[in-house]
Amino acid sequence: MRDMTQTEIINFIQYFTWGTLIGVEGDRPYAVELSYGFDGNYIYCGSMPGGRMARCIRDNANVVFKICECDWSYSRFRAVIVEGHAERMISRDDIMKAVVQIARQRELPDQAFAGVVDRLVDNPHSNSLRIAVTTVGGKIAGY
């Protein structure tokens, strides 16, 4: 196993569409699996409005975003971790950019998720997030 290069990390984040958002509620960690988008600077994602992760982020915006893959024999493994601050987005422009990035990450039309934007704009319970990709690390084996 070795550390991934910065280029390998960025390529890996761009390649995948699914990751784990990890927050803290009080003194307990909490994680959700979700789709995400990446524009080269930010990971865009979100969770259920008013749900447990939304409460975690409201009370402590320090998060980890984890993306990994492994074969059944564990001989091939890649994992990236992004540590950062989850910024809650409420403006139409920010949320639209997020859903477009998520659609693009999944190779869908830009407007594939546009229908959710109206439900999230100015919603005090919305949990549309962006996480700056500045503190990252990655491990790789068997590639």
Side-chain angles (χ1 to χ4, degrees):
M1 184 178 302
R2 65 172 176 79
D3 290 339
M4 294 173 80
T5 66
Q6 191 67 22
T7 299
E8 288 173 320
I9 289 170
I10 296 303
N11 289 342
F12 188 68
I13 296 171
Q14 289 172 330
Y15 173 73
F16 271 81
T17 64
W18 196 254
T20 305
L21 178 63
I22 305 162
V24 177
E25 183 179 40
D27 63 350
R28 295 175 40 206
Y30 180 66
V32 293
E33 302 287 328
L34 41 73
S35 293
Y36 70 91
F38 176 61
D39 68 359
N41 296 305
Y42 292 96
I43 287 177
Y44 296 93
C45 60
S47 65
M48 185 174 65
R52 186 172 174 189
M53 184 57 74
R55 292 190 307 273
C56 290
I57 301 299
R58 180 194 65 214
D59 295 341
N60 181 353
N62 295 314
V63 297
V64 168
F65 196 84
K66 177 83 173 179
I67 308 159
C68 62
E69 76 165 344
C70 180
D71 71 1
W72 288 103
S73 70
Y74 304 111
S75 62
R76 290 171 46 104
F77 174 86
R78 292 189 292 179
V80 166
I81 187 169
V82 177
E83 299 177 61
H85 181 86
E87 180 185 351
R88 195 171 149 266
M89 298 177 297
I90 57 171
S91 78
R92 177 172 300 283
D93 289 345
D94 285 344
I95 295 171
M96 183 59 80
K97 180 175 182 175
V99 299
V100 165
Q101 287 302 138
I102 292 168
R104 287 179 181 171
Q105 191 92 5
R106 301 185 74 194
E107 298 180 355
L108 296 170
D110 283 359
Q111 299 302 311
F113 302 119
V116 304
V117 174
D118 287 336
R119 293 193 312 254
L120 300 174
V121 172
D122 297 324
N123 179 342
H125 303 291
S126 164
N127 202 38
S128 299
L129 307 171
R130 69 178 159 212
I131 305 162
V133 177
T134 54
T135 303
V136 297
K139 298 287 185 185
I140 189 169
Y143 284 88

